[in-house]
Amino acid sequence: HFTGSAVETYMNDSMNGVLFHEAAHQFVSLATNASGWLNEGLASFFEGCQLLPNGTVLMNLPANHRLFPLVKRMEAGWMADVTDGLPPGSTETPDKAPTFRIVLENEYEWGPPWYAPTWGLVYFLYNYQDTSDGRYVYRAAFREFVNKSGGRVGKGAVRNFEEVVLENPSSVTKGMTTAVQLPRTVDEVDEVWKRWLMNLRDEQVGRVEVEYPFHAWAKHAITRGDTADAIEFFEKGLRESPRDPDLLIDFGELLVEEKNRDRAAKLLRRAIQVLEAAEVPDEGRIANLDKTLSKIDPEHETLRTVRDELLASYGSVVQGYLSDGLNLMALDLSWRTGNDFNDPGMFDYFEEATRRSGKTLSIWKLAYNEENLNGWSASADGVFTAVGETLASSFGEYSPEDYQFRFLTLDTVTSGDFSLEAEVQAQHGKVNFGGIVFGQKTGTDFQSVLFLPPGRVSGGIEQGGFVDLVTFFGSDEFKTWTHSPVENPATEERHTRTWNRLRVDVTGRNVDVWCNGEFVTSKQYPNLNVLRGRLGILVGKGDMRFRNVRYLARPDQDRGAEIEREIRMEAFAPAGESRGGSWLGMTPPFPKVSEWIQGERKSWQEVGLAPQLLVLWSINQNDLVPLDGWLTKLKREYGDYGLEILCIAEGWDGDRMEDYLASHPFPGTVGIDEVIAENVGFTHDQYAIKRFNLPRVLLLDVDYTVAWEGDPGFRVGEPWDPDAESYLKAPLDDLLERRKLREVVSWREKWNVTALPAMSDGDLATALPFLQEAQDYDWKIHTDIMEAQRRLADLEGRLQSILRTAEDLAQEGREPALDVLVDWAGLVGVKLDKKTDRALKKHLKGGNTSAWKKALSALKPLPKKIRGGKDPEGVQEAIAKIQEMDGAFPGLLAELLTNHLDDEGALLEVVEGAEALPANWLIQDYLGW
């Protein structure tokens, strides 16, 4: 058992005294008091530590070898009791998972079946988060539970846990609303625990895309006074955005308050460097940071002077190298100095030297020594063998319908960016597919680049090869992000030139795929965790060979990798041109059309900020690979989310198109390509149809850049199957999720039906949730979102400067509206300090506020006098009395009553709605909503 003392020894001796994150110390205090299931759970929990280059341990990373098997068992169901699926004395793992109650009661013999569940229970309690404000719901209560009971087991353990942990969740940050379920009993925890771990599993493999708002969570933690949590969020935020000046400054300022001046000074210096490297440096902000640094670091000015002198000297040397044409020397010195001093300016020299030399200092390592499988995690089934210069694989008999696979993974770990390259020999009829694996979490959860060999015959036509970028989730689910044809040699060479070079580059969250030196595709993943894991090669059923397998591991957060990627991409995409026919990530040219057959279009922008589908096709192609039914279904399913479809047919199809569409209706707009030469259409040429063939489909994001391009994946010569999924589905669904277009459609309906009428009535409480929800969406998608964001920002601005607003209202005699604003401040979550509260009370106790209350009282007897015209004179007298009262609102009320004297219904409506008059005036006149 991994006892507390063992952990202390491990941390103090094995790590040689490195500085640990606060969470590591919290872990030690937990482990010291632990026993039974908790001891085992904490021991497994410690496996998830990650040591950062600055010597800080970031806790709380999932132990995937525990996570994935546990989720699989949970999906299979819950154990009925501690013996369910386990023979007496057995150490085998049952198919099902133990419930929370079974683990807590601890009535079992220790063994492998319990390692993953105890890890899962501890990990859940320590990390169950409310995504609204980032707080850890049970962390503090769990710590108290351990300190009080050490992980009590047996009789009474469940009730003790419910009382100490479940009944004491952390409080939501003021002004925020909770977004998590809070079970009250252990039995209710099971489904919450299961769902949370399943979501965690899905995040790890990229099934769901999650971007963590670490900076916002850190601010919320500071508001709550949870400094340790704030530091943890800041650390994780720096992993994702190491050059975010706002994050660096806020983190540095927090550490100043916490008396951690060393780290604070380092972060604030880095923030200054980032600000100085900006296109327009913020001199005022830089000066303020300099003042702060001078206070916390007495040697700051000296250090800055020395640093500037050193960088100036290094810069002079680098410039000298560049002047003398010694570009590689300049490249080496600028890269080392830029990383050592974290100086963006040195990377300007690095970029210049890289462009001049056309070379890189990055050193690839040969992964296969051409003798044996040393350096690889070789599988026991002997699928892979060393055969001289090639790695041979033989995985059973080839079968076109069998999609099993096997791995060979490298014994290496990369903490930063990396590349992997391999030449593959794969022939149709001998193997289904093979290629590169990266981000591998388990045997069924990984990212991959697969080569599908040319030569398959479909509908009597031989097809070329394809390269697919695929994510596998479990044993029976995957997403093919791109399905890209590769340029094929002439027909007679296809079965002799069989080596194809695959390469994958991982730079930050970006993955670039290449084949035979040509760009294939790119994808940006939601977070770095998805891309971290084992890497290697993969084969399907049959025989296949690999050679020249090599990899490149870069230092963590190496700015040079980003620059090299930018230059590499530019080489394949000069301004205004495609990357070898690919428009991925760029705004493509709008098609040139000789004739519009159905509808008419002039630009991408004219449809607004909506997803668009460009389909390049021909009549002959559609007879072989039918698209009309598929596109019609797409429009029906995705039209509500704004999807626009633009179909451009070959130029020589014009004469037949109207008749063809009558029997093969296409949705959206249909045009005929402009012919520029025999068998060449202008648009089809721009989109490299000679390379990619027809049909070619491109999905444009709402910002008019190509989010996906490729072949839809239907078989030649076969009728369209309505139940068959195309390769477009995953990226299209991904776009809808990333841009939240489904939610936007629902929000816009509620905005128009509920929120706008409520605001017209001065009912902010009803409208506020829709104003707040709009903050989650991209304002560029729709003017309604932009307007909602503007309104809330305007209101928050007025509330933040409420004293000035109060003066403005007082000058106009509208203090009753200030009373409404104070109520709204509570709704919105703007906290008014005591000084502000006292100043506002002076206005709220004035004569105009009292007069308004008297005016409302004067209305109480009016409904009886109004109905049936019983007492018109009494109504007139009441209006006259109200008219004489002080302030703007009694006069406004009297005017409204006078204007509706001839309409009994309207007059009663004014009386009944009079109390909301200040709120109505605020929204309609003052805020201009």
Side-chain angles (χ1 to χ4, degrees):
H1 288 194
F2 208 155
T3 63
S5 59
V7 175
E8 295 267 19
T9 302
Y10 177 73
M11 291 171 61
N12 293 333
D13 297 340
S14 300
M15 289 300 193
N16 297 317
V18 295
L19 175 65
F20 273 75
H21 189 272
E22 176 67 19
H25 295 296
Q26 293 173 359
F27 168 74
V28 171
S29 68
L30 291 177
T32 303
N33 294 324
S35 63
W37 66 265
L38 188 56
N39 199 308
E40 293 291 344
L42 288 169
S44 299
F45 178 88
F46 196 62
E47 297 169 0
C49 296
Q50 183 181 19
L51 182 65
L52 298 186
N54 63 10
T56 298
V57 166
L58 272 182
M59 299 291 289
N60 313 327
L61 297 181
N64 287 317
H65 65 296
R66 306 289 191 204
L67 170 64
F68 286 84
L70 176 56
V71 170
K72 185 176 181 181
R73 291 169 65 181
M74 286 179 166
E75 290 176 329
W78 299 106
M79 294 171 65
D81 54 46
V82 71
T83 63
D84 187 7
L86 280 174
S90 171
T91 58
E92 296 178 5
T93 300
D95 293 333
K96 297 178 181 180
T99 63
F100 220 81
R101 177 183 292 273
I102 290 174
V103 176
L104 282 176
E105 291 178 342
N106 203 65
E107 295 176 355
Y108 43 77
E109 293 296 324
W110 278 104
W114 309 107
Y115 295 159
T118 55
W119 167 85
L121 190 149
V122 170
Y123 196 82
F124 168 77
L125 294 173
Y126 201 76
N127 293 291
Y128 185 48
Q129 250 181 312
D130 189 334
T131 54
S132 67
D133 60 0
R135 78 188 189 286
Y136 294 108
V137 177
Y138 295 125
R139 184 175 287 188
F142 179 49
R143 189 177 298 115
E144 181 69 14
F145 168 76
V146 176
N147 289 337
K148 278 191 172 183
S149 68
R152 183 173 173 180
V153 299
K155 189 175 182 181
V158 168
R159 184 60 197 141
N160 178 56
F161 180 84
E162 291 173 344
E163 290 176 350
V164 177
V165 179
L166 297 186
E167 293 181 12
N168 294 283
S170 57
S171 299
V172 67
T173 308
K174 190 166 184 179
M176 303 295 291
T177 55
T178 188
V180 292
Q181 185 177 347
L182 299 174
R184 301 305 298 270
T185 68
V186 162
D187 295 329
E188 290 175 359
V189 175
D190 286 341
E191 288 306 315
V192 177
W193 182 36
K194 173 182 174 181
R195 186 169 61 252
W196 187 80
L197 287 176
M198 289 174 63
N199 288 339
L200 180 64
R201 186 259 330 255
D202 292 345
E203 291 173 21
Q204 288 293 298
V205 298
R207 180 187 274 115
V208 296
E209 296 201 0
V210 179
E211 294 189 19
Y212 304 101
F214 291 123
H215 195 174
W217 286 350
K219 289 182 176 180
H220 290 312
I222 292 171
T223 300
R224 298 191 303 271
D226 292 337
T227 303
D229 288 354
I231 290 173
E232 181 176 333
F233 293 140
F234 275 129
E235 293 284 13
K236 291 179 176 178
L238 284 178
R239 290 281 290 159
E240 298 285 339
S241 307
R243 289 185 293 278
D244 182 337
D246 296 325
L247 191 147
L248 288 165
I249 292 169
D250 287 348
F251 192 8
E253 290 176 346
L254 174 63
L255 293 178
V256 170
E257 294 177 9
E258 293 300 307
K259 312 300 182 186
N260 187 348
R261 296 188 302 166
D262 285 349
R263 186 83 197 286
K266 182 175 181 179
L267 293 171
L268 295 178
R269 284 193 191 96
R270 191 189 304 175
I272 289 176
Q273 293 159 12
V274 173
L275 292 172
E276 288 176 337
E279 206 168 307
V280 181
D282 189 334
E283 299 296 345
R285 208 173 185 193
I286 292 170
N288 289 334
L289 288 174
D290 265 326
K291 290 179 183 177
T292 303
L293 275 168
S294 297
K295 292 177 182 178
I296 65 174
D297 181 3
E299 302 300 324
H300 167 61
E301 290 302 329
T302 303
L303 177 62
R304 186 180 180 94
T305 301
V306 171
R307 182 181 181 280
D308 289 347
E309 290 175 354
L310 280 172
L311 286 173
S313 299
Y314 279 123
S316 296
V317 175
V318 172
Q319 287 176 322
Y321 282 142
L322 290 171
S323 298
D324 294 339
L326 300 175
N327 297 317
L328 292 181
M329 291 295 293
L331 192 63
D332 180 65
L333 183 58
S334 60
W335 180 77
R336 294 180 187 280
T337 308
N339 279 322
D340 289 345
F341 286 88
N342 194 30
D343 180 64
M346 293 304 294
F347 281 106
D348 292 337
Y349 294 130
F350 175 86
E351 181 173 349
E352 183 178 352
T354 302
R355 291 183 183 279
R356 285 189 182 190
S357 66
K359 296 182 179 180
T360 176
L361 297 174
S362 303
I363 300 175
W364 289 75
K365 183 175 181 180
L366 196 64
Y368 170 54
N369 61 16
E370 300 185 0
E371 294 180 2
N372 50 47
L373 297 183
N374 289 351
W376 295 87
S377 298
S379 56
D381 53 16
V383 169
F384 295 90
T385 54
V387 185
E389 70 169 2
T390 66
L391 260 171
S393 70
S394 182
F395 178 35
E397 294 293 326
Y398 163 77
S399 171
E401 304 301 326
D402 190 339
Y403 296 101
Q404 295 182 68
F405 49 80
R406 289 291 184 271
F407 299 108
L408 186 64
T409 55
L410 276 167
D411 281 333
T412 186
V413 176
T414 58
S415 60
D417 299 332
F418 62 89
S419 299
L420 185 63
E421 182 177 281
E423 292 182 39
V424 299
Q425 187 185 63
Q427 296 184 28
H428 174 67
K430 293 187 176 181
V431 70
N432 269 337
F433 56 84
I436 290 173
V437 172
F438 59 101
Q440 184 201 4
K441 305 296 193 298
T442 72
T444 56
D445 297 90
F446 55 91
Q447 316 296 325
S448 64
V449 175
L450 303 181
F451 180 77
L452 283 64
R456 291 174 299 162
V457 177
S458 180
I461 298 176
E462 184 176 341
Q463 292 188 317
F466 287 87
V467 172
D468 291 2
L469 179 61
V470 188
T471 297
F472 284 81
F473 316 107
S475 58
D476 57 357
E477 185 184 353
F478 61 90
K479 278 188 178 180
T480 302
W481 299 109
T482 57
H483 180 64
S484 307
V486 296
E487 193 165 3
N488 300 304
T491 303
E492 61 271 15
E493 299 177 47
R494 284 184 183 168
H495 302 292
T496 56
R497 199 194 98 180
T498 54
W499 287 102
N500 291 272
R501 189 169 78 255
L502 295 181
R503 171 172 166 173
V504 61
D505 295 321
V506 177
T507 311
R509 295 187 293 134
N510 295 298
V511 171
D512 304 319
V513 179
W514 311 80
C515 183
N516 298 326
E518 293 290 329
F519 174 77
V520 175
T521 190
S522 284
K523 176 174 171 58
Q524 187 175 84
Y525 287 76
N527 57 67
L528 296 175
N529 289 338
V530 176
L531 303 174
R532 295 295 180 255
R534 292 181 293 275
L535 59 157
I537 55 179
L538 170 150
V539 295
K541 292 300 289 289
D543 297 332
M544 186 172 173
R545 289 175 177 258
F546 298 80
R547 72 182 183 190
N548 293 330
V549 184
R550 58 185 191 143
Y551 74 96
L552 169 65
R554 298 179 182 273
D556 188 39
Q557 298 183 3
D558 180 13
R559 171 74 178 120
E562 297 177 30
I563 294 173
E564 288 182 8
R565 179 180 187 265
E566 291 168 8
I567 295 173
R568 188 163 57 243
M569 289 303 188
E570 285 176 11
F572 282 86
E577 297 182 25
S578 66
R579 298 187 188 106
S582 170
W583 292 99
L584 198 68
M586 297 180 282
T587 300
F590 192 76
K592 281 193 175 182
V593 173
S594 62
E595 180 183 4
W596 292 105
I597 304 297
Q598 181 173 289
E600 185 175 347
R601 289 281 303 275
K602 295 180 180 178
S603 69
W604 300 124
Q605 291 77 11
E606 69 183 302
V607 300
L609 293 155
Q612 300 181 64
L613 204 64
L614 173 63
V615 182
L616 302 170
W617 67 292
S618 72
I619 289 177
N620 290 339
Q621 162 262 297
N622 198 62
D623 287 339
L624 292 171
V625 183
L627 300 181
D628 45 301
W630 170 62
L631 291 172
T632 299
K633 183 182 178 185
L634 271 181
K635 183 64 176 178
R636 185 170 60 250
E637 292 180 348
Y638 294 91
D640 288 344
Y641 309 124
L643 181 66
E644 294 285 342
I645 299 177
L646 173 59
C647 306
I648 305 298
E650 283 182 336
W652 39 92
D653 281 343
D655 293 341
R656 299 188 292 159
M657 187 54 65
E658 288 191 14
D659 290 339
Y660 192 80
L661 291 180
S663 56
H664 300 79
F666 273 62
T669 307
V670 180
I672 305 297
D673 193 12
E674 183 177 288
V675 176
I676 56 176
E678 185 178 358
N679 293 331
V680 178
F682 185 89
T683 302
H684 283 218
D685 183 58
Q686 276 190 314
Y687 285 85
I689 296 306
K690 285 185 177 180
R691 173 186 172 186
F692 294 112
N693 301 318
L694 295 176
R696 178 153 164 71
V697 180
L698 295 92
L699 174 65
L700 275 66
D701 203 337
V702 295
D703 61 359
Y704 315 117
T705 60
V706 174
W708 176 87
E709 59 185 4
D711 184 294
F714 301 127
R715 292 179 180 272
V716 177
E718 295 184 8
W720 172 64
D721 179 1
D723 296 326
E725 287 190 1
S726 70
Y727 289 120
L728 173 69
K729 179 172 175 53
L732 179 53
D733 287 340
D734 176 60
L735 171 59
L736 296 183
E737 290 174 16
R738 181 163 41 83
R739 294 294 191 180
K740 300 182 179 178
L741 295 181
R742 291 187 179 93
E743 293 87 341
V744 166
V745 169
S746 174
W747 175 85
R748 284 192 61 219
E749 181 179 352
K750 291 180 287 188
W751 171 256
N752 288 294
V753 173
T754 304
L756 289 179
M759 281 183 280
S760 296
D761 293 337
D763 181 5
L764 181 68
T766 298
L768 184 60
F770 305 106
L771 289 166
Q772 292 173 329
E773 183 183 345
Q775 309 309 303
D776 297 334
Y777 308 133
D778 187 342
W779 63 269
K780 299 188 293 293
I781 294 176
H782 199 277
T783 54
D784 285 350
I785 299 172
M786 180 173 63
E787 178 61 19
Q789 292 181 354
R790 182 195 69 78
R791 291 186 180 192
L792 186 57
D794 182 25
L795 177 59
E796 289 176 340
R798 309 264 187 167
L799 293 173
Q800 294 288 355
S801 57
I802 196 168
L803 287 178
R804 191 189 318 153
T805 303
E807 294 293 341
D808 294 341
L809 294 175
Q811 286 181 6
E812 297 183 26
R814 298 187 185 275
E815 288 90 339
L818 180 61
D819 204 8
V820 176
L821 275 179
V822 172
D823 290 340
W824 287 357
L827 282 175
V828 174
V830 174
K831 187 177 181 180
L832 305 179
D833 57 39
K834 292 181 180 179
K835 183 179 178 181
T836 302
D837 196 44
R838 284 196 299 269
L840 292 175
K841 284 180 180 177
K842 294 178 182 178
H843 292 289
L844 295 174
K845 290 181 178 179
N848 291 332
T849 302
S850 299
W852 177 242
K853 291 178 180 177
K854 291 178 182 177
L856 293 177
S857 296
L859 293 177
K860 290 181 179 179
L862 286 190
K864 290 183 179 179
K865 296 179 180 182
I866 293 172
R867 289 189 177 93
K870 288 182 179 179
D871 188 1
E873 292 80 10
V875 174
Q876 291 278 12
E877 289 174 6
I879 294 175
K881 185 177 179 182
I882 293 171
Q883 178 70 57
E884 294 173 359
M885 293 179 183
D886 294 335
F889 287 111
L892 178 58
L893 176 58
E895 181 182 348
L896 290 171
L897 292 168
T898 302
N899 292 339
H900 295 90
L901 281 172
D902 296 333
D903 187 335
E904 180 180 310
L907 187 60
L908 284 170
E909 192 174 324
V910 171
V911 172
E912 292 166 358
E915 192 172 356
L917 194 59
N920 288 337
W921 177 85
L922 275 173
I923 285 179
Q924 295 173 14
D925 295 271
Y926 189 69
L927 296 173
W929 291 3

